Amino acid sequence: MRSLKNLKITKSIESKRLIYNESILDKIDRYTNYLIFGALIYFSIVGLYKITPSANSDFEYIIYSIVLVFVLYSSYCLFTEKRLKEISFNIHKEEAKRRILEYGKKYHYRISNISNNLIYLNEPINSFSFLDEERTIIIFCKDQSVLYTVIKSGMRINAPVLFSQHIIRKDIRKILHQEKFTLTRKKSYFDRFFNDPS
């Protein structure tokens, strides 16, 4: 599991980037990810160049292109996972923290490391693997904004968070910009795609 040892809160807020003492295992994990994604990019590009034009080559181009776009996006997520994204608001800082904590409690996040400027919202990932994986939303509170990032921890490899980070950004923005703060039923990923009205 990834461990954020000695997370430097003030420096992270100032640089808008997670700054902490990275363990040897975390460094090995990060470079392993770089190696895997680099190899996938290389083989995707080589595969595109090696396609011989024929009646059926369009399908091969489509497959290799989809793989290449997905791997490039995953690589981008990996390289930017330590970068903190900012959401500004017009309410009091303590009210923003209260809303975030209520959001975490309502949707059964495991809330940890609450300090004056830092909140962790942890949730297990329902994946098809038997590995113990967890997604963590790290939120730094400033006077008129929050800085946040989403990281994923696994037993063997810490793959980047791909799509849920956009849904989490939308949720945080919504709760911080509501005039009258109310929480509704949290939609699953499938609800969002199929426009469930509830």
Side-chain angles (χ1 to χ4, degrees):
M1 296 292 278
R2 193 195 309 246
S3 111
L4 300 175
K5 287 184 180 175
N6 298 325
L7 180 59
K8 294 168 176 59
I9 298 172
T10 306
K11 285 185 178 178
S12 294
I13 291 172
E14 287 170 358
S15 65
K16 294 188 177 180
R17 186 171 177 80
L18 282 184
I19 297 176
Y20 62 96
N21 295 340
E22 202 171 22
S23 71
I24 297 292
L25 291 176
D26 286 339
K27 287 180 182 176
I28 291 169
D29 180 84
R30 183 161 44 91
Y31 289 116
T32 301
N33 270 322
Y34 291 159
L35 189 64
I36 290 169
F37 286 117
L40 288 171
I41 290 169
Y42 172 77
F43 287 119
S44 299
I45 293 171
V46 168
L48 280 170
Y49 278 111
K50 287 192 173 180
I51 295 172
T52 52
S54 68
N56 297 324
S57 63
D58 287 348
F59 180 70
E60 292 178 64
Y61 278 116
I62 290 170
I63 295 298
Y64 276 110
S65 298
I66 289 171
V67 170
L68 182 59
V69 167
F70 178 75
V71 172
L72 286 172
Y73 173 70
S74 301
S75 301
Y76 169 77
C77 291
L78 177 66
F79 281 110
T80 60
E81 72 176 352
K82 289 184 184 179
R83 186 173 63 84
L84 300 173
K85 296 91 177 168
E86 189 164 17
I87 299 174
S88 57
F89 52 79
N90 294 319
I91 56 177
H92 193 274
K93 177 182 175 180
E94 292 304 315
E95 172 64 12
K97 284 166 62 178
R98 185 188 71 78
R99 290 183 181 192
I100 290 167
L101 290 172
E102 251 185 71
Y103 169 82
K105 287 173 189 169
K106 170 121 179 146
Y107 299 124
H108 309 292
Y109 285 93
R110 183 174 52 81
I111 301 168
S112 59
N113 282 49
I114 301 170
S115 74
N116 191 32
N117 294 321
L118 175 64
I119 300 170
Y120 286 178
L121 300 178
N122 306 286
E123 71 173 338
I125 299 170
N126 296 323
S127 62
F128 296 105
S129 70
F130 295 103
L131 301 176
D132 181 22
E133 294 183 329
E134 190 171 61
R135 180 172 38 241
T136 302
I137 307 167
I138 303 168
I139 301 172
F140 296 90
C141 299
K142 295 171 66 177
D143 285 335
Q144 292 299 310
S145 65
V146 294
L147 297 169
Y148 81 98
T149 192
V150 185
I151 61 170
K152 188 159 71 172
S153 298
M155 287 297 290
R156 296 190 182 170
I157 194 163
N158 297 318
V161 175
L162 300 179
F163 303 109
S164 61
Q165 61 182 316
H166 304 297
I167 294 169
I168 289 165
R169 178 180 182 85
K170 186 178 175 183
D171 286 348
I172 294 174
R173 185 189 299 274
K174 183 179 176 183
I175 65 171
L176 293 178
H177 288 137
Q178 286 177 343
E179 285 188 29
K180 187 176 180 183
F181 177 57
T182 56
L183 290 169
T184 57
R185 182 178 73 84
K186 188 177 182 184
K187 293 183 178 182
S188 71
Y189 298 127
F190 294 111
D191 290 342
R192 292 170 191 271
F193 291 122
F194 294 113
N195 295 322
D196 180 15
S198 58

